[in-house]
Amino acid sequence: DTGVSQNPRHKITKRGQNVTFRCDPISEHNRLYWYRQTLGQGPEFLTYFQNEAQLEKSRLLSDRFSAERPKGSFSTLEIQRTEQGDSAMYLCASSLGRDYNEQFFGPGTRLTVL
Amino acid sequence: GENVEQHPSTLSVQEGDSAVIKCTYSDSASNYFPWYKQELGKGPQLIIDIRSNVGEKKDQRIAVTLNKTAKHFSLHITETQPEDSAVYFCAAKAPGGGADGLTFGKGTHLIIQP
């Protein structure tokens, strides 16, 4: 399968714990995006990378959220000190690059904070 | 920032009939308008998109129209089939820089009645 992959698919955690999600983009894509989707809503843009550079992070929901893409390939999204309001689907998407608009999404990681 | 409104929130049509979903956007600089289909438990799947230099685009049973003056765009599905049942999202994106994330509507739950 050459699509975007995300792991884990489901994560259940207790409030206050830290969680980390991984995204592997389509191999030739150099742009990678993170979105959050809550029930009954469309995805909400959080941040994106061009290769290893994080070009937009002002949309991250709080300073508890951080993302990395250390070698310009896979990316991780970390949420520290999770809260019940963080429960959502976290989606990753990738695109070829600056002049290519099409974003292809992975299956998402469903986070439940108890 | 960009704001995308989508209507209706739920649409029920008889199998074989046509379905139309409408979206409006607020940022006149937006120039890329994709549509995504999301099935339960899956990530959004890109089904068609249109750029602002084009008024209409068609791909088999699916078509999208764009009215830049009125800032609205629509998805048309003809000869609907049971497998068309899903949630459909419209989105908009302005060119370049920190606006590289997509802004999504809230989605339309399309139900195809047999």
Side-chain angles (χ1 to χ4, degrees):
Chain A
D1 188 347
T2 57
V4 177
S5 63
Q6 292 187 246
N7 287 288
R9 293 293 311 276
H10 303 273
K11 178 72 177 177
I12 299 174
T13 191
K14 293 182 179 179
R15 189 177 55 183
Q17 298 295 304
N18 298 344
V19 294
T20 300
F21 311 137
R22 175 177 170 131
C23 171
D24 287 88
I26 295 170
S27 59
E28 64 269 27
H29 286 188
N30 57 36
R31 285 205 161 176
L32 186 150
Y33 306 80
W34 285 99
Y35 291 80
R36 181 181 79 157
Q37 186 177 25
T38 54
L39 204 60
Q41 301 294 317
E44 176 187 10
F45 170 65
L46 297 179
T47 188
Y48 85 105
F49 295 83
Q50 168 84 24
N51 298 313
E52 66 274 12
Q54 190 173 11
L55 298 185
E56 172 61 60
K57 50 184 174 181
S58 66
R59 309 278 189 95
L60 285 169
L61 301 162
S62 80
D63 58 8
R64 298 183 296 105
F65 287 70
S66 63
E68 292 184 342
R69 194 182 183 197
K71 297 183 179 179
S73 56
F74 73 91
S75 175
T76 57
L77 178 70
E78 182 182 17
I79 308 174
Q80 296 183 329
R81 306 181 302 280
T82 53
E83 302 173 356
Q84 286 185 324
D86 297 332
S87 295
M89 175 78 86
Y90 290 85
L91 293 162
C92 174
S94 69
S95 69
L96 267 171
R98 192 182 72 145
D99 298 324
Y100 297 87
N101 287 305
E102 295 85 350
Q103 295 183 22
F104 298 92
F105 282 82
T109 294
R110 168 74 65 190
L111 173 66
T112 301
V113 181
L114 302 176
Chain B
E2 176 66 276
N3 182 52
V4 176
E5 300 282 343
Q6 183 171 347
H7 300 280
S9 56
T10 303
L11 178 60
S12 181
V13 301
Q14 290 293 123
E15 181 178 350
D17 288 351
S18 296
V20 180
I21 302 170
K22 299 182 178 183
C23 289
T24 60
Y25 62 98
S26 62
D27 187 349
S28 57
S30 288
N31 63 355
Y32 175 66
F33 307 93
W35 286 87
Y36 286 85
K37 175 183 180 183
Q38 188 172 29
E39 297 173 320
L40 201 61
K42 297 184 178 181
Q45 175 194 2
L46 179 66
I47 56 171
I48 195 168
D49 56 15
I50 192 167
R51 287 160 177 77
S52 58
N53 58 347
V54 175
E56 183 174 357
K57 183 177 178 181
K58 190 173 181 180
D59 182 4
Q60 299 183 342
R61 298 186 295 109
I62 294 173
V64 58
T65 59
L66 171 65
N67 183 326
K68 284 177 57 180
T69 304
K71 291 192 283 189
H72 67 69
F73 55 114
S74 301
L75 178 72
H76 304 252
I77 305 174
T78 58
E79 301 171 13
T80 52
Q81 301 169 3
E83 54 265 36
D84 294 330
S85 293
V87 179
Y88 291 80
F89 292 96
C90 62
K93 187 175 86 69
D100 254 29
L102 296 169
T103 300
F104 283 83
K106 290 189 175 183
T108 296
H109 185 193
L110 177 62
I111 301 165
I112 308 300
Q113 302 279 5

mmCIF file with all atom_site columns, all heavy atoms in Angstrom, chain A residues 2-5 24-31 69 94-95 104-105:
data_model
loop_
_atom_site.group_PDB
_atom_site.id
_atom_site.type_symbol
_atom_site.label_atom_id
_atom_site.label_alt_id
_atom_site.label_comp_id
_atom_site.label_asym_id
_atom_site.label_entity_id
_atom_site.label_seq_id
_atom_site.pdbx_PDB_ins_code
_atom_site.Cartn_x
_atom_site.Cartn_y
_atom_site.Cartn_z
_atom_site.occupancy
_atom_site.B_iso_or_equiv
_atom_site.pdbx_formal_charge
_atom_site.auth_seq_id
_atom_site.auth_comp_id
_atom_site.auth_asym_id
_atom_site.auth_atom_id
_atom_site.pdbx_PDB_model_num
ATOM 1   N N   . THR A 1 2   ? 0.693  2.114  -0.981 1.00 0.00 ? 2   THR A N   1
ATOM 2   C CA  . THR A 1 2   ? 1.574  3.268  -1.106 1.00 0.00 ? 2   THR A CA  1
ATOM 3   C C   . THR A 1 2   ? 0.906  4.547  -0.630 1.00 0.00 ? 2   THR A C   1
ATOM 4   O O   . THR A 1 2   ? 1.386  5.633  -0.892 1.00 0.00 ? 2   THR A O   1
ATOM 5   C CB  . THR A 1 2   ? 1.982  3.436  -2.576 1.00 0.00 ? 2   THR A CB  1
ATOM 6   O OG1 . THR A 1 2   ? 0.802  3.567  -3.361 1.00 0.00 ? 2   THR A OG1 1
ATOM 7   C CG2 . THR A 1 2   ? 2.788  2.247  -3.055 1.00 0.00 ? 2   THR A CG2 1
ATOM 8   N N   . GLY A 1 3   ? -0.201 4.438  0.109  1.00 0.00 ? 3   GLY A N   1
ATOM 9   C CA  . GLY A 1 3   ? -0.880 5.622  0.608  1.00 0.00 ? 3   GLY A CA  1
ATOM 10  C C   . GLY A 1 3   ? -0.260 6.126  1.887  1.00 0.00 ? 3   GLY A C   1
ATOM 11  O O   . GLY A 1 3   ? 0.772  5.638  2.358  1.00 0.00 ? 3   GLY A O   1
ATOM 12  N N   . VAL A 1 4   ? -0.898 7.143  2.483  1.00 0.00 ? 4   VAL A N   1
ATOM 13  C CA  . VAL A 1 4   ? -0.464 7.688  3.764  1.00 0.00 ? 4   VAL A CA  1
ATOM 14  C C   . VAL A 1 4   ? -0.846 6.699  4.867  1.00 0.00 ? 4   VAL A C   1
ATOM 15  O O   . VAL A 1 4   ? -1.983 6.220  4.884  1.00 0.00 ? 4   VAL A O   1
ATOM 16  C CB  . VAL A 1 4   ? -1.131 9.052  4.022  1.00 0.00 ? 4   VAL A CB  1
ATOM 17  C CG1 . VAL A 1 4   ? -0.732 9.593  5.390  1.00 0.00 ? 4   VAL A CG1 1
ATOM 18  C CG2 . VAL A 1 4   ? -0.793 10.043 2.916  1.00 0.00 ? 4   VAL A CG2 1
ATOM 19  N N   . SER A 1 5   ? 0.088  6.407  5.737  1.00 0.00 ? 5   SER A N   1
ATOM 20  C CA  . SER A 1 5   ? -0.220 5.503  6.846  1.00 0.00 ? 5   SER A CA  1
ATOM 21  C C   . SER A 1 5   ? -0.057 6.224  8.175  1.00 0.00 ? 5   SER A C   1
ATOM 22  O O   . SER A 1 5   ? 0.778  7.133  8.305  1.00 0.00 ? 5   SER A O   1
ATOM 23  C CB  . SER A 1 5   ? 0.645  4.245  6.804  1.00 0.00 ? 5   SER A CB  1
ATOM 24  O OG  . SER A 1 5   ? 2.004  4.576  6.945  1.00 0.00 ? 5   SER A OG  1
ATOM 25  N N   . ASP A 1 24  ? 3.325  8.371  8.225  1.00 0.00 ? 24  ASP A N   1
ATOM 26  C CA  . ASP A 1 24  ? 4.244  8.115  7.108  1.00 0.00 ? 24  ASP A CA  1
ATOM 27  C C   . ASP A 1 24  ? 3.565  8.575  5.827  1.00 0.00 ? 24  ASP A C   1
ATOM 28  O O   . ASP A 1 24  ? 2.560  7.994  5.417  1.00 0.00 ? 24  ASP A O   1
ATOM 29  C CB  . ASP A 1 24  ? 4.600  6.630  7.030  1.00 0.00 ? 24  ASP A CB  1
ATOM 30  C CG  . ASP A 1 24  ? 5.530  6.206  8.136  1.00 0.00 ? 24  ASP A CG  1
ATOM 31  O OD1 . ASP A 1 24  ? 5.040  5.838  9.230  1.00 0.00 ? 24  ASP A OD1 1
ATOM 32  O OD2 . ASP A 1 24  ? 6.750  6.274  7.926  1.00 0.00 ? 24  ASP A OD2 1
ATOM 33  N N   . PRO A 1 25  ? 4.090  9.608  5.177  1.00 0.00 ? 25  PRO A N   1
ATOM 34  C CA  . PRO A 1 25  ? 3.441  10.139 3.974  1.00 0.00 ? 25  PRO A CA  1
ATOM 35  C C   . PRO A 1 25  ? 3.722  9.255  2.763  1.00 0.00 ? 25  PRO A C   1
ATOM 36  O O   . PRO A 1 25  ? 4.517  8.320  2.821  1.00 0.00 ? 25  PRO A O   1
ATOM 37  C CB  . PRO A 1 25  ? 4.104  11.497 3.804  1.00 0.00 ? 25  PRO A CB  1
ATOM 38  C CG  . PRO A 1 25  ? 5.485  11.284 4.355  1.00 0.00 ? 25  PRO A CG  1
ATOM 39  C CD  . PRO A 1 25  ? 5.318  10.327 5.503  1.00 0.00 ? 25  PRO A CD  1
ATOM 40  N N   . ILE A 1 26  ? 3.067  9.573  1.659  1.00 0.00 ? 26  ILE A N   1
ATOM 41  C CA  . ILE A 1 26  ? 3.385  8.943  0.379  1.00 0.00 ? 26  ILE A CA  1
ATOM 42  C C   . ILE A 1 26  ? 4.837  9.284  0.058  1.00 0.00 ? 26  ILE A C   1
ATOM 43  O O   . ILE A 1 26  ? 5.274  10.431 0.245  1.00 0.00 ? 26  ILE A O   1
ATOM 44  C CB  . ILE A 1 26  ? 2.419  9.446  -0.711 1.00 0.00 ? 26  ILE A CB  1
ATOM 45  C CG1 . ILE A 1 26  ? 1.001  8.970  -0.369 1.00 0.00 ? 26  ILE A CG1 1
ATOM 46  C CG2 . ILE A 1 26  ? 2.848  8.966  -2.093 1.00 0.00 ? 26  ILE A CG2 1
ATOM 47  C CD1 . ILE A 1 26  ? -0.099 9.583  -1.219 1.00 0.00 ? 26  ILE A CD1 1
ATOM 48  N N   . SER A 1 27  ? 5.598  8.313  -0.419 1.00 0.00 ? 27  SER A N   1
ATOM 49  C CA  . SER A 1 27  ? 7.051  8.406  -0.399 1.00 0.00 ? 27  SER A CA  1
ATOM 50  C C   . SER A 1 27  ? 7.627  9.615  -1.148 1.00 0.00 ? 27  SER A C   1
ATOM 51  O O   . SER A 1 27  ? 8.569  10.226 -0.698 1.00 0.00 ? 27  SER A O   1
ATOM 52  C CB  . SER A 1 27  ? 7.674  7.119  -0.942 1.00 0.00 ? 27  SER A CB  1
ATOM 53  O OG  . SER A 1 27  ? 7.247  6.890  -2.257 1.00 0.00 ? 27  SER A OG  1
ATOM 54  N N   . GLU A 1 28  ? 7.074  10.013 -2.257 1.00 0.00 ? 28  GLU A N   1
ATOM 55  C CA  . GLU A 1 28  ? 7.665  11.122 -2.998 1.00 0.00 ? 28  GLU A CA  1
ATOM 56  C C   . GLU A 1 28  ? 7.097  12.483 -2.590 1.00 0.00 ? 28  GLU A C   1
ATOM 57  O O   . GLU A 1 28  ? 7.475  13.515 -3.147 1.00 0.00 ? 28  GLU A O   1
ATOM 58  C CB  . GLU A 1 28  ? 7.476  10.914 -4.507 1.00 0.00 ? 28  GLU A CB  1
ATOM 59  C CG  . GLU A 1 28  ? 6.031  10.913 -4.969 1.00 0.00 ? 28  GLU A CG  1
ATOM 60  C CD  . GLU A 1 28  ? 5.402  9.529  -4.980 1.00 0.00 ? 28  GLU A CD  1
ATOM 61  O OE1 . GLU A 1 28  ? 5.850  8.661  -4.197 1.00 0.00 ? 28  GLU A OE1 1
ATOM 62  O OE2 . GLU A 1 28  ? 4.454  9.315  -5.763 1.00 0.00 ? 28  GLU A OE2 1
ATOM 63  N N   . HIS A 1 29  ? 6.214  12.512 -1.599 1.00 0.00 ? 29  HIS A N   1
ATOM 64  C CA  . HIS A 1 29  ? 5.592  13.757 -1.163 1.00 0.00 ? 29  HIS A CA  1
ATOM 65  C C   . HIS A 1 29  ? 6.479  14.487 -0.169 1.00 0.00 ? 29  HIS A C   1
ATOM 66  O O   . HIS A 1 29  ? 6.902  13.915 0.836  1.00 0.00 ? 29  HIS A O   1
ATOM 67  C CB  . HIS A 1 29  ? 4.227  13.483 -0.534 1.00 0.00 ? 29  HIS A CB  1
ATOM 68  C CG  . HIS A 1 29  ? 3.169  13.126 -1.524 1.00 0.00 ? 29  HIS A CG  1
ATOM 69  N ND1 . HIS A 1 29  ? 1.845  13.011 -1.174 1.00 0.00 ? 29  HIS A ND1 1
ATOM 70  C CD2 . HIS A 1 29  ? 3.230  12.874 -2.854 1.00 0.00 ? 29  HIS A CD2 1
ATOM 71  C CE1 . HIS A 1 29  ? 1.143  12.704 -2.247 1.00 0.00 ? 29  HIS A CE1 1
ATOM 72  N NE2 . HIS A 1 29  ? 1.963  12.600 -3.279 1.00 0.00 ? 29  HIS A NE2 1
ATOM 73  N N   . ASN A 1 30  ? 6.743  15.783 -0.412 1.00 0.00 ? 30  ASN A N   1
ATOM 74  C CA  . ASN A 1 30  ? 7.592  16.490 0.540  1.00 0.00 ? 30  ASN A CA  1
ATOM 75  C C   . ASN A 1 30  ? 6.806  17.416 1.468  1.00 0.00 ? 30  ASN A C   1
ATOM 76  O O   . ASN A 1 30  ? 7.364  18.009 2.387  1.00 0.00 ? 30  ASN A O   1
ATOM 77  C CB  . ASN A 1 30  ? 8.734  17.246 -0.169 1.00 0.00 ? 30  ASN A CB  1
ATOM 78  C CG  . ASN A 1 30  ? 8.231  18.233 -1.189 1.00 0.00 ? 30  ASN A CG  1
ATOM 79  O OD1 . ASN A 1 30  ? 7.193  18.866 -1.008 1.00 0.00 ? 30  ASN A OD1 1
ATOM 80  N ND2 . ASN A 1 30  ? 8.971  18.380 -2.280 1.00 0.00 ? 30  ASN A ND2 1
ATOM 81  N N   . ARG A 1 31  ? 5.478  17.517 1.257  1.00 0.00 ? 31  ARG A N   1
ATOM 82  C CA  . ARG A 1 31  ? 4.680  18.286 2.204  1.00 0.00 ? 31  ARG A CA  1
ATOM 83  C C   . ARG A 1 31  ? 3.820  17.349 3.039  1.00 0.00 ? 31  ARG A C   1
ATOM 84  O O   . ARG A 1 31  ? 3.248  16.389 2.517  1.00 0.00 ? 31  ARG A O   1
ATOM 85  C CB  . ARG A 1 31  ? 3.795  19.297 1.467  1.00 0.00 ? 31  ARG A CB  1
ATOM 86  C CG  . ARG A 1 31  ? 4.594  20.476 0.971  1.00 0.00 ? 31  ARG A CG  1
ATOM 87  C CD  . ARG A 1 31  ? 3.772  21.698 0.797  1.00 0.00 ? 31  ARG A CD  1
ATOM 88  N NE  . ARG A 1 31  ? 4.628  22.876 0.769  1.00 0.00 ? 31  ARG A NE  1
ATOM 89  C CZ  . ARG A 1 31  ? 4.203  24.094 0.561  1.00 0.00 ? 31  ARG A CZ  1
ATOM 90  N NH1 . ARG A 1 31  ? 2.917  24.316 0.358  1.00 0.00 ? 31  ARG A NH1 1
ATOM 91  N NH2 . ARG A 1 31  ? 5.046  25.092 0.559  1.00 0.00 ? 31  ARG A NH2 1
ATOM 92  N N   . ARG A 1 69  ? 9.277  16.543 12.154 1.00 0.00 ? 69  ARG A N   1
ATOM 93  C CA  . ARG A 1 69  ? 9.532  15.736 10.956 1.00 0.00 ? 69  ARG A CA  1
ATOM 94  C C   . ARG A 1 69  ? 11.052 15.768 10.745 1.00 0.00 ? 69  ARG A C   1
ATOM 95  O O   . ARG A 1 69  ? 11.543 16.439 9.849  1.00 0.00 ? 69  ARG A O   1
ATOM 96  C CB  . ARG A 1 69  ? 8.788  16.304 9.749  1.00 0.00 ? 69  ARG A CB  1
ATOM 97  C CG  . ARG A 1 69  ? 8.732  15.337 8.585  1.00 0.00 ? 69  ARG A CG  1
ATOM 98  C CD  . ARG A 1 69  ? 8.034  15.957 7.386  1.00 0.00 ? 69  ARG A CD  1
ATOM 99  N NE  . ARG A 1 69  ? 7.919  15.003 6.309  1.00 0.00 ? 69  ARG A NE  1
ATOM 100 C CZ  . ARG A 1 69  ? 7.658  15.341 5.053  1.00 0.00 ? 69  ARG A CZ  1
ATOM 101 N NH1 . ARG A 1 69  ? 7.477  16.617 4.711  1.00 0.00 ? 69  ARG A NH1 1
ATOM 102 N NH2 . ARG A 1 69  ? 7.555  14.404 4.128  1.00 0.00 ? 69  ARG A NH2 1
ATOM 103 N N   . SER A 1 94  ? -0.607 14.294 2.959  1.00 0.00 ? 94  SER A N   1
ATOM 104 C CA  . SER A 1 94  ? 0.628  14.689 2.285  1.00 0.00 ? 94  SER A CA  1
ATOM 105 C C   . SER A 1 94  ? 0.322  15.163 0.873  1.00 0.00 ? 94  SER A C   1
ATOM 106 O O   . SER A 1 94  ? -0.719 14.834 0.304  1.00 0.00 ? 94  SER A O   1
ATOM 107 C CB  . SER A 1 94  ? 1.648  13.543 2.279  1.00 0.00 ? 94  SER A CB  1
ATOM 108 O OG  . SER A 1 94  ? 1.240  12.472 1.443  1.00 0.00 ? 94  SER A OG  1
ATOM 109 N N   . SER A 1 95  ? 1.237  15.970 0.347  1.00 0.00 ? 95  SER A N   1
ATOM 110 C CA  . SER A 1 95  ? 1.115  16.420 -1.033 1.00 0.00 ? 95  SER A CA  1
ATOM 111 C C   . SER A 1 95  ? 2.507  16.497 -1.639 1.00 0.00 ? 95  SER A C   1
ATOM 112 O O   . SER A 1 95  ? 3.518  16.524 -0.937 1.00 0.00 ? 95  SER A O   1
ATOM 113 C CB  . SER A 1 95  ? 0.410  17.784 -1.114 1.00 0.00 ? 95  SER A CB  1
ATOM 114 O OG  . SER A 1 95  ? 1.225  18.804 -0.583 1.00 0.00 ? 95  SER A OG  1
ATOM 115 N N   . PHE A 1 104 ? -3.584 14.211 0.195  1.00 0.00 ? 104 PHE A N   1
ATOM 116 C CA  . PHE A 1 104 ? -4.099 12.857 0.341  1.00 0.00 ? 104 PHE A CA  1
ATOM 117 C C   . PHE A 1 104 ? -3.994 12.457 1.815  1.00 0.00 ? 104 PHE A C   1
ATOM 118 O O   . PHE A 1 104 ? -2.923 12.555 2.414  1.00 0.00 ? 104 PHE A O   1
ATOM 119 C CB  . PHE A 1 104 ? -3.311 11.890 -0.545 1.00 0.00 ? 104 PHE A CB  1
ATOM 120 C CG  . PHE A 1 104 ? -3.434 12.225 -2.006 1.00 0.00 ? 104 PHE A CG  1
ATOM 121 C CD1 . PHE A 1 104 ? -2.510 13.062 -2.614 1.00 0.00 ? 104 PHE A CD1 1
ATOM 122 C CD2 . PHE A 1 104 ? -4.492 11.753 -2.755 1.00 0.00 ? 104 PHE A CD2 1
ATOM 123 C CE1 . PHE A 1 104 ? -2.631 13.412 -3.956 1.00 0.00 ? 104 PHE A CE1 1
ATOM 124 C CE2 . PHE A 1 104 ? -4.619 12.086 -4.100 1.00 0.00 ? 104 PHE A CE2 1
ATOM 125 C CZ  . PHE A 1 104 ? -3.693 12.921 -4.698 1.00 0.00 ? 104 PHE A CZ  1
ATOM 126 N N   . PHE A 1 105 ? -5.110 12.023 2.350  1.00 0.00 ? 105 PHE A N   1
ATOM 127 C CA  . PHE A 1 105 ? -5.207 11.773 3.781  1.00 0.00 ? 105 PHE A CA  1
ATOM 128 C C   . PHE A 1 105 ? -4.952 10.319 4.138  1.00 0.00 ? 105 PHE A C   1
ATOM 129 O O   . PHE A 1 105 ? -5.266 9.399  3.371  1.00 0.00 ? 105 PHE A O   1
ATOM 130 C CB  . PHE A 1 105 ? -6.600 12.155 4.291  1.00 0.00 ? 105 PHE A CB  1
ATOM 131 C CG  . PHE A 1 105 ? -6.782 13.631 4.481  1.00 0.00 ? 105 PHE A CG  1
ATOM 132 C CD1 . PHE A 1 105 ? -7.095 14.448 3.403  1.00 0.00 ? 105 PHE A CD1 1
ATOM 133 C CD2 . PHE A 1 105 ? -6.637 14.213 5.732  1.00 0.00 ? 105 PHE A CD2 1
ATOM 134 C CE1 . PHE A 1 105 ? -7.249 15.824 3.571  1.00 0.00 ? 105 PHE A CE1 1
ATOM 135 C CE2 . PHE A 1 105 ? -6.801 15.583 5.909  1.00 0.00 ? 105 PHE A CE2 1
ATOM 136 C CZ  . PHE A 1 105 ? -7.107 16.381 4.834  1.00 0.00 ? 105 PHE A CZ  1
#
